[in-house]
Amino acid sequence: MTDSAPTPAAVASGTTAPTCPFISTNASSSGLQLALHPLALLTISDYITRHALRNIQGPIVGALLGTQSGREVSIEHAYEVMVSPPDAPAADSAADTPAPILDHSFFTNKLSLFKETHPTLDLLGWFATTSSPHFHPHAWHLALHQQLLTHNESPVLLLLNPAPAASIGGKLPLALYESIYEADGALRFAPLKYTIETGEAEMIGVDVVARGGGNATEETAAPPPQKDSGKGKGKAKDTLADIDALATPLGPHNEELLSQLTSKRNAITMLHSRIRLLLKYLTDPPEGGHTPQLLRELKSLTHSRLPLLTPSNAAEFEAEKNAEEADVNLVVLLGTLTKNLEQLRSMGRKFAAADTVMSRRGDKGSGEELYSRVGMMGMSGGGGAGGGRRQFG
């Protein structure tokens, strides 16, 4: 996907963008081929979101890292930088607002840390936000750009407009510029074209982020069922509540999983029906008998494709199946054992309570009444204890 940096809003509306004194009237002649990766865009958007939610004052400024081979530039990473004073211009500042001052020590230390982690990456430029609908730079952008010339002779500038109305026609709300010196000696920006390049790992990450956002916005927890004091009506309402809970939307992620499982089930059902059809034909042939040509086709089909459904190593497959089956049975056995231990513990508590009551009364008889009471308590507690004397006799 290729986008042009200047004025997508003007193109969409059919109007000409107003001139900006900080943009050169001459087109770029450097021949740079910029490739922008989604990871850098996600980092910038995350920085803008945190800046807005935390009500941080000052501009949004960061560095761009990537690789350069000749005239091909690939922007792959981004990170935020510190500027001072803290009451520096915001994203919607006017052109005559005083420019912020770059914290060179913080910038150098952060860049060195990134170089240690990613030794192949170089400083390619910086990014900031703008309130211009045409993504034009302001005066403080040019002043801060001149401060960055000590770290890079010709840094690239990425300007992004975070306003919701900035993205028109499906285009990204950003523009890329390079700095050039004109004949009068003034430093101005020249728009650059860029492309979006995505690696396999980035595609997986972007897909996970998109699906996670969809699930967070669309999946809602079902309300707990309301209790009803009635008997028959309460059961009917509970049944209706369960039906309503089943009718709750599953969300895009679960719906996709359900669709995949359904398609696999349909494929297995169709395969099973066709195999049964072949078996029926072989066991109960028609009146004319088996056709040799058809038998050869059946043999080639069963010997070339159906063996794919059987494991290559039957003994290893059987051992793995037995191991999984043993694990499942062990889990079921542990659950049953835990339930029995809980019932035994409940029985012990009831016996201790009955023994305490009998000792207080001073009844030191044979214990027949005690056993009978404990047995009754066990029966009233859910049948976990059984008859009193049968448990202790």
Side-chain angles (χ1 to χ4, degrees):
M1 182 180 71
T2 305
D3 286 330
S4 177
T7 66
V11 175
S13 60
T15 60
T16 303
T19 59
C20 177
F22 308 107
I23 295 181
S24 175
T25 56
N26 301 321
S28 175
S29 59
S30 61
L32 287 178
Q33 300 178 8
L34 292 178
L36 190 58
H37 285 258
L39 181 59
L41 296 178
L42 289 176
T43 304
I44 297 173
S45 62
D46 176 71
Y47 182 32
I48 294 175
T49 303
R50 288 186 286 109
H51 193 277
L53 294 178
R54 297 176 182 177
N55 296 323
I56 302 176
Q57 301 298 324
I60 298 174
V61 180
L64 299 175
L65 300 178
T67 57
Q68 182 173 0
S69 177
R71 309 310 296 170
E72 297 180 357
V73 179
S74 177
I75 301 175
E76 302 175 4
H77 292 272
Y79 66 90
E80 65 272 15
V81 299
M82 294 179 59
V83 292
S84 58
D87 56 347
D92 57 350
S93 60
D96 56 352
T97 307
I101 301 175
L102 179 67
D103 190 341
H104 289 276
S105 60
F106 177 84
F107 186 88
T108 305
N109 293 335
K110 196 74 176 287
L111 181 60
S112 62
L113 292 176
F114 263 90
K115 292 286 290 182
E116 292 179 1
T117 308
H118 307 281
T120 60
L121 300 183
D122 297 321
L123 177 66
L124 300 180
W126 64 291
F127 68 88
T129 55
T130 178
S131 60
S132 171
H134 307 287
F135 315 109
H136 288 168
H138 296 304
W140 71 271
H141 290 122
L142 182 60
L144 189 57
H145 188 86
Q146 292 176 344
Q147 300 179 34
L148 287 167
L149 295 178
T150 57
H151 302 278
N152 190 314
E153 295 180 355
S154 181
V156 176
L157 171 61
L158 187 152
L159 289 181
L160 187 143
N161 190 342
S167 180
I168 299 177
K171 292 182 176 293
L172 295 175
L174 58 89
L176 287 167
Y177 299 93
E178 69 170 342
S179 58
I180 59 175
Y181 286 96
E182 296 194 333
D184 56 355
L187 181 66
R188 290 186 176 87
F189 295 106
L192 293 173
K193 294 184 178 181
Y194 64 91
T195 58
I196 301 296
E197 289 190 0
T198 307
E200 294 182 358
E202 288 179 317
M203 292 178 63
I204 297 174
V206 171
D207 183 68
V208 169
V209 171
R211 293 179 185 276
N215 291 339
T217 55
E218 296 187 16
E219 290 187 0
T220 55
Q226 298 180 355
K227 296 183 178 179
D228 192 9
S229 57
K231 296 183 179 180
K233 294 183 179 180
K235 293 182 179 180
K237 291 184 178 180
D238 292 341
T239 305
L240 294 176
D242 295 339
I243 296 175
D244 293 339
L246 292 175
T248 304
L250 299 176
H253 182 69
N254 294 331
E255 288 180 356
E256 182 179 359
L257 178 60
L258 183 61
S259 175
Q260 294 177 358
L261 294 176
T262 304
S263 61
K264 290 181 180 180
R265 177 184 179 275
N266 295 336
I268 294 174
T269 303
M270 182 179 297
L271 177 62
H272 183 260
S273 62
R274 292 184 178 181
I275 292 176
R276 291 183 60 184
L277 179 61
L278 294 178
L279 291 176
K280 184 178 180 180
Y281 173 78
L282 294 176
T283 55
D284 187 13
E287 295 180 358
H290 296 296
T291 306
Q293 179 65 24
L294 184 58
L295 290 178
R296 283 193 294 268
E297 292 180 358
L298 289 177
K299 182 177 180 181
S300 63
L301 175 64
T302 55
H303 282 70
S304 62
R305 297 185 179 181
L306 289 183
L308 298 176
L309 302 177
T310 60
S312 58
N313 192 342
E316 184 179 352
F317 176 78
E318 188 69 20
E320 184 177 357
K321 182 179 74 69
N322 293 336
E324 293 184 358
E325 185 177 359
D327 292 340
V328 173
N329 293 333
L330 180 60
V331 171
V332 174
L333 181 61
L334 289 176
T336 305
L337 181 61
T338 304
K339 183 178 180 180
N340 292 336
L341 289 176
E342 181 63 25
Q343 292 177 353
L344 183 60
R345 183 180 178 184
S346 176
M347 179 63 189
R349 289 197 300 264
K350 294 174 181 178
F351 179 79
D355 190 20
T356 302
V357 172
M358 298 301 296
S359 61
R360 290 180 179 177
R361 292 183 177 180
D363 188 0
K364 305 297 184 181
S366 60
E368 294 291 335
E369 183 181 358
L370 172 62
Y371 291 143
S372 62
R373 291 186 180 183
V374 173
M376 292 298 294
M377 292 175 64
M379 294 176 63
S380 63
R389 293 198 62 184
R390 185 171 63 254
Q391 295 288 336
F392 298 97

